[in-house]
Amino acid sequence: MELAGGNRNWQAGIVRIFGKGRHRPSASWRQATDRAFTLIGDGRYEDAGALLTRAADLEPWLSESWFNLALLHKFRHDWEQARAAGLRAVALLDRETGAPDWWNVGIAATALQDWPLARRAWQAYGLRVPGGASRPRSGAGTGDTGEPVGMDLGSAAVRLSPEGEAEVVWGRRLDPARIEVLSIPLPSSGRRWGEVVLHDGVPHGERTTAAGHAFPVFDEIELWAPSPVPTWVVLLEAATEADRDALERLAADAGFAAEDWSSSVRLLCRLCSESRMPSDEGDGEHLDPHDHSEPGHPGPLGHVTDGQLWAPERECGIAAPASLVRGLLDGWVADSPDSRDWRDLEEVC
């Protein structure tokens, strides 16, 4: 969520606080908070923590003191401390629903699998959490100890490794803080198909479809549940798009996935990635001006050929067990041996 102190957007929170005549923070609180978020911007979390702790000691009655500490602990992935500070923040709120403090409590509770608190946080924020249906943790009972399911939040995109070599993939939202990855990520991300990632609450960018639907892009915080299914890369010879589509259907029918990285991967700068972008530009001569890939590399621009709308050689990612992947490819070829072939299968993640 947005920060409540410091530079840029953080200052908006301070201005909001100043509007409360009887809750005006001291100059020392303002200085410590502003300096703390400058340090956070530099990655100096330990020094920032000391200042935010001092600010909380100066103004312990101010919910923003604890909100800021909860944010710092979230950045550090210290979920026990984030939950504790978040609960102190919400205890001091002067409104019933919609406060970002509750959202951050929900993220911390989800990270800790504290499902009763997660439910309470999303409900306090103003979301409807279905009752009765739950998925119990391993070794746990049912009811309120279970993971909330059935929130029906639809599809979204998530930016894996947002501070590094970021990659935006598609997934299914399980609840307000988790996405199950349904794309096959590139090996550089260190993520796999079917993994569940914890994500932040504020979207950074959108992906739109030709039908006009817009989907938010959330930033990954950390891996929540790993996937046992390895990722493979293989070079296909697919004479037509229909041949490529047949492999993707075959993998899906087996309960796994195949993805034509030659079509689905685009190289975008950070500015483009964090803006409102079309989700699928396809192949061939319809070039996307935001695609920064080059010929010879994955992506729509990387697989354009002179006067040819379809390049038969495709780089494909496959998510499937080692015991299945070769049989899957061989079965695909056997269905149309004159138009299909594969080579150079390699496990990459």
Side-chain angles (χ1 to χ4, degrees):
M1 303 304 297
E2 297 299 325
L3 308 180
N7 298 325
R8 299 188 303 175
N9 295 334
W10 307 326
Q11 291 180 348
I14 295 178
V15 172
R16 176 172 58 84
I17 300 166
F18 291 167
K20 302 176 184 178
R22 62 188 179 87
H23 280 174
R24 185 180 181 90
S26 66
S28 296
W29 184 94
R30 297 195 304 270
Q31 292 167 0
T33 300
D34 187 73
R35 176 58 179 160
F37 283 107
T38 299
L39 293 172
I40 287 174
D42 295 334
R44 296 171 58 184
Y45 292 156
E46 292 295 332
D47 294 335
L51 285 170
L52 290 179
T53 299
R54 177 169 177 261
D57 289 339
L58 289 169
E59 309 284 9
W61 43 264
L62 195 64
S63 65
E64 282 78 3
S65 295
W66 304 104
F67 176 72
N68 290 338
L69 269 174
L71 280 177
L72 173 66
H73 295 313
K74 183 182 75 171
F75 297 153
R76 298 172 64 183
H77 302 181
D78 185 342
W79 300 115
E80 293 282 359
Q81 292 294 328
R83 177 174 58 182
L87 287 172
R88 295 197 66 167
V90 298
L92 295 167
L93 289 175
D94 56 2
R95 55 173 166 160
E96 292 185 0
T97 61
D101 311 66
W102 276 114
W103 197 281
N104 284 327
V105 169
I107 292 175
T110 301
L112 295 168
Q113 299 186 41
D114 183 349
W115 302 125
L117 179 59
R119 285 171 177 272
R120 177 185 166 204
W122 305 135
Q123 289 169 343
Y125 188 79
L127 302 179
R128 187 183 69 85
V129 182
S134 63
R135 183 186 305 129
R137 288 173 292 174
S138 177
T142 58
D144 287 342
T145 62
E147 171 184 348
V149 298
M151 295 192 72
D152 193 24
L153 299 178
S155 299
V158 60
R159 183 175 291 105
L160 306 176
S161 304
E163 301 303 324
E165 192 172 341
E167 177 184 357
V168 175
V169 298
W170 286 95
R172 178 174 66 94
R173 299 188 70 188
L174 303 179
D175 57 37
R178 292 179 301 155
I179 289 180
E180 179 185 10
V181 176
L182 299 182
S183 299
I184 302 179
L186 296 174
S188 58
S189 73
R191 294 286 176 262
R192 290 175 165 183
W193 170 85
E195 290 188 325
V196 177
V197 298
L198 191 73
H199 68 79
D200 219 335
V202 178
H204 283 158
E206 285 185 327
R207 296 296 180 267
T208 61
T209 67
H213 301 297
F215 298 89
V217 180
F218 296 100
D219 285 347
E220 175 195 27
I221 298 176
E222 67 181 14
L223 177 64
W224 191 87
S227 169
V229 181
T231 303
W232 308 79
V233 62
V234 64
L235 288 179
L236 303 180
E237 286 291 333
T240 66
E241 292 183 64
D243 289 308
R244 183 273 315 275
D245 294 345
L247 177 60
E248 294 183 347
R249 286 196 302 271
L250 197 63
D253 289 344
F256 298 99
E259 182 176 329
D260 180 9
W261 284 341
S262 300
S263 296
S264 65
V265 176
R266 288 185 294 168
L267 179 62
L268 302 178
C269 68
R270 180 172 291 273
L271 181 62
C272 291
S273 178
E274 295 182 354
S275 65
R276 184 182 176 92
M277 294 290 296
S279 62
D280 184 11
E281 296 299 325
D283 294 278
E285 296 176 346
H286 303 286
L287 305 185
D288 175 8
H290 301 282
D291 189 333
H292 304 292
S293 60
E294 299 176 352
H297 298 279
L301 292 188
H303 287 259
V304 170
T305 59
D306 294 335
Q308 187 176 355
L309 295 179
W310 177 259
E313 184 175 282
R314 320 297 296 177
E315 186 176 60
C316 182
I318 299 179
S323 59
L324 177 68
V325 63
R326 286 176 176 80
L328 192 70
L329 289 164
D330 288 340
W332 172 71
V333 171
D335 288 339
S336 183
D338 293 336
S339 62
R340 303 172 187 174
D341 200 2
W342 66 271
R343 71 179 190 277
D344 300 339
L345 178 68
E346 179 184 1
E347 183 177 347
V348 291
C349 183

